[in-house]
Amino acid sequence: MKISIIGTGYVGSVTGICLAEMGHQIHFVDIDQAKLDMINSGRSPVFEPDLDDLLLKNRERITTTTDIAKAIRQTTLTIICVGTPQNPDGSSDLRFIIDAAHSLGKGLKKDQKYHTVIVKSTVLPGTTSTVVQPILEKESGKLAIKDFGIGSNPEFLKEGSAVHDFFHTDRIVIGTNDPKTKDALKALYKSLHAPFFNTDIKTAEMIKYVSNAFLATKISFANEIGNLCKLNEINSYEVFRGVGMDSRINPHFFRSGIGFGGSCFPKDIRALISFSESKGVEPRILKAVIRTNDEQPQKLIALLKKHLDIKGKKIGILGLSFKPDSDDIRESRAIPIVLTLLHEGAEIIVYDPMAMPAFKNLFPGISYARSSDDVLKSDAIMIITEWQEFSNLNYTGKLVIDGRKVNKAGREATIYEGICW
Ligand SMILES: NC(=O)c1ccc[n+]([C@@H]2O[C@H](COP(=O)([O-])OP(=O)(O)OC[C@H]3O[C@@H](n4cnc5c(N)ncnc54)[C@H](O)[C@@H]3O)[C@@H](O)[C@H]2O)c1
């Protein structure tokens, strides 16, 4: 099939390159020419294991443009993958979706064939039908389902293992009332061997939010119990291994630490809170999930202060990305940790294998180490992201405060504190 992918961030790049690997012809569209230039030069705009190799392998099936109308003319299906960040009040900021829908609608006007538009960006229930569809209809002068297809196909990939997740997804959610759109999505994914879950658009949109909210709840629950375990000298890792063996609970996303970050969980939970309040439903559990998550980095700082007066001391930070195998620092737990340490007068040196360029934009005034070994020379070391290479360092004689359970640090450090163990 010939597909337009609007937005070449984490979701767009992974989706487009993996679809090319499945044999589809991909037309990437972005407003950011630099990202398209990267794709043209054989490098993905985002770091994900295996993604560059797949891009190089499938280059002849991939083209790029900033012109949505041109991409639409050359394809039969468009997948919207633009960002949906949060407004300052936590609600969902739809400006990228709205801009893309206007351009798409203008493109649809000139397109003679039946073209299908799919929203893959995470949007609150009702957005596709009450925001995207009316713009497409107004700009194109056409009617949804009669003249063009429309549907929702939410994305569940995890950064750091996104390529693997694409090819081994648990399910493909197809939200549409249009039989042609349903058939188009089934044809698109047919070689994936994953179950299709067919539903209406609003339900598909809700499934995405509820999935993220449930996973985030599991993490905050683990952290609350983990904090209790720590005070009682119980290793919460052991507790969750034992509890997770119950098939009703399962062990995934069931570990304690300094909490979740990234581009999705925090903003999606806040958007769901805002949506819930707008409908008059008090989201007590969701609010507690965010509060527990916000407090967790400060608990790590409190553990450090037990052993060190941090004013004027050199604190080494291992890990800046919100999770390993990613260069994404959006809502990384390293951000509140560094802010607090700076506020309390510490000197900071940081290291991350992938995320230092992005972090430098936020914190240009701190020291960036050339290697993780340089960080080990500090008065104390805080482990924020569990990159594999941090499991090979020599922590002998060090003061280590660990937010992610790096076992070698626990065995070797002279003074060691794990956040929940
Ligand atoms: N990152 C994840 O792990 C993940 C997982 C599942 C779902 N999602 C959802 O997918 C969506 C995209 O997330 P992301 O992390 O890939 O975002 P991103 O910010 O990394 O990328 C978005 C891209 O869209 C481009 N863009 C914005 N407006 C455009 C327009 N009018 N036309 C063309 N391109 C435009 C931007 O330049 C950018 O390259 C969001 O709704 C997010 O919540 C993200």
Side-chain angles (χ1 to χ4, degrees):
M1 289 171 76
K2 293 180 176 165
I3 320 290
S4 303
I5 302 280
I6 315 295
T8 59
Y10 285 86
V11 169
S13 296
V14 171
T15 304
I17 294 168
C18 291
L19 287 172
E21 168 71 3
M22 287 164 71
H24 299 296
Q25 205 73 38
I26 301 302
H27 296 252
F28 278 118
V29 184
D30 206 297
I31 45 173
D32 185 347
Q33 182 64 48
K35 290 189 174 169
L36 302 179
D37 289 344
M38 281 186 80
I39 294 175
N40 294 333
S41 72
R43 277 179 53 220
S44 161
V46 298
F47 171 74
E48 272 298 323
D50 303 325
L51 197 57
D52 281 352
D53 292 344
L54 283 186
L55 172 59
L56 286 172
K57 189 177 159 205
N58 294 289
R59 267 170 99 168
E60 79 285 0
R61 282 198 276 269
I62 291 172
T63 60
T64 67
T65 177
T66 50
D67 182 350
I68 290 192
K70 183 175 160 209
I72 287 187
R73 276 199 305 280
Q74 294 170 346
T75 57
T76 56
L77 190 136
T78 290
I79 306 178
I80 301 178
C81 302
V82 300
T84 46
Q86 65 181 27
N87 287 313
D89 67 355
S91 63
S92 188
D93 175 355
L94 291 178
R95 87 193 116 113
F96 298 116
I97 288 275
I98 289 171
D99 285 353
H102 280 290
S103 310
L104 258 166
K106 289 182 183 123
L108 282 179
K109 187 174 187 174
K110 296 184 201 141
D111 194 31
Q112 301 306 317
K113 56 191 181 321
Y114 193 87
H115 193 99
T116 300
V117 177
I118 299 300
V119 178
K120 191 176 263 305
S121 301
T122 302
V123 292
L124 283 164
T127 306
T128 300
S129 301
T130 64
V131 178
V132 179
Q133 183 177 318
I135 296 173
L136 296 178
E137 289 181 330
K138 186 158 179 268
E139 294 285 5
S140 66
K142 296 181 176 181
L143 278 179
I145 300 183
K146 180 174 164 285
D147 304 317
F148 64 91
I150 186 137
S152 159
N153 171 222
E155 182 52 60
F156 299 97
L157 61 77
K158 298 185 292 300
E159 285 180 29
S161 57
V163 171
H164 177 273
D165 292 348
F166 181 93
F167 289 111
H168 301 90
T169 183
D170 293 324
R171 79 300 206 190
I172 295 162
V173 173
I174 297 179
T176 187
N177 296 325
D178 173 24
K180 281 192 249 176
T181 296
K182 187 165 127 190
D183 290 347
L185 283 174
K186 283 192 161 173
L188 182 72
Y189 292 121
K190 80 166 178 276
S191 59
L192 276 189
H193 305 297
F196 289 109
F197 186 83
N198 299 304
T199 184
D200 58 67
I201 293 180
K202 228 170 24 170
T203 308
E205 292 166 333
M206 192 64 171
I207 286 171
K208 172 63 194 173
Y209 275 94
V210 176
S211 295
N212 276 1
F214 187 78
L215 292 172
T217 303
K218 212 171 167 186
I219 294 170
S220 276
F221 174 76
N223 288 338
E224 184 171 298
I225 299 293
N227 295 338
L228 180 64
C229 287
K230 173 81 181 174
L231 287 176
N232 287 282
E233 294 179 4
I234 298 166
N235 181 346
S236 67
Y237 257 59
E238 289 276 310
V239 171
F240 294 119
R241 269 180 38 215
V243 176
M245 288 169 81
D246 186 326
S247 60
R248 294 169 303 178
I249 297 172
N250 103 25
H252 304 294
F253 278 76
F254 208 31
R255 281 185 306 167
S256 47
I258 45 172
F260 55 79
S263 66
C264 292
F265 282 6
K267 85 161 167 75
D268 290 349
I269 312 312
R270 288 191 194 109
L272 195 54
I273 287 172
S274 169
F275 179 66
S276 184
E277 285 177 337
S278 76
K279 303 287 170 192
V281 176
E282 175 62 16
R284 290 191 194 91
I285 293 175
L286 295 177
K287 282 183 171 174
V289 167
I290 289 290
R291 189 166 159 201
T292 301
N293 199 56
D294 287 346
E295 287 171 0
Q296 211 61 3
Q298 300 312 323
K299 297 217 174 336
L300 202 70
I301 304 262
L303 287 174
L304 173 65
K305 284 184 175 171
K306 252 172 75 179
H307 300 281
L308 195 70
D309 175 6
I310 58 181
K311 192 166 177 11
K313 297 291 189 321
K314 189 169 180 182
I315 312 295
I317 304 287
L318 288 175
L320 302 172
S321 57
F322 85 97
K323 67 189 292 192
D325 296 318
S326 172
D327 58 355
D328 197 342
I329 60 158
R330 289 179 283 186
E331 301 255 7
S332 164
R333 303 292 80 194
I335 295 169
I337 298 262
V338 168
L339 276 175
T340 307
L341 291 174
L342 285 175
H343 182 70
E344 304 217 2
E347 190 193 325
I348 295 174
I349 180 162
V350 300
Y351 176 76
D352 186 287
M354 294 297 310
M356 289 203 285
F359 213 74
K360 250 180 211 168
N361 291 334
L362 278 186
F363 294 99
I366 59 174
S367 301
Y368 289 82
R370 283 216 200 110
S371 73
S372 38
D373 281 327
D374 288 347
V375 168
L376 293 185
K377 294 169 194 149
S378 313
D379 295 311
I381 296 136
M382 302 182 87
I383 303 176
I384 309 299
T385 317
E386 64 275 40
W387 284 92
Q388 182 57 40
E389 69 173 82
F390 301 158
S391 291
N392 303 322
L393 300 177
N394 183 356
Y395 296 95
T396 312
K398 309 295 177 192
L399 161 54
V400 177
I401 311 294
D402 187 0
R404 298 297 183 189
K405 191 124 177 58
V406 173
N407 289 329
K408 191 159 183 285
R411 284 194 304 274
E412 291 178 353
T414 304
I415 302 173
Y416 176 85
E417 290 275 5
I419 185 162
C420 294
W421 49 88

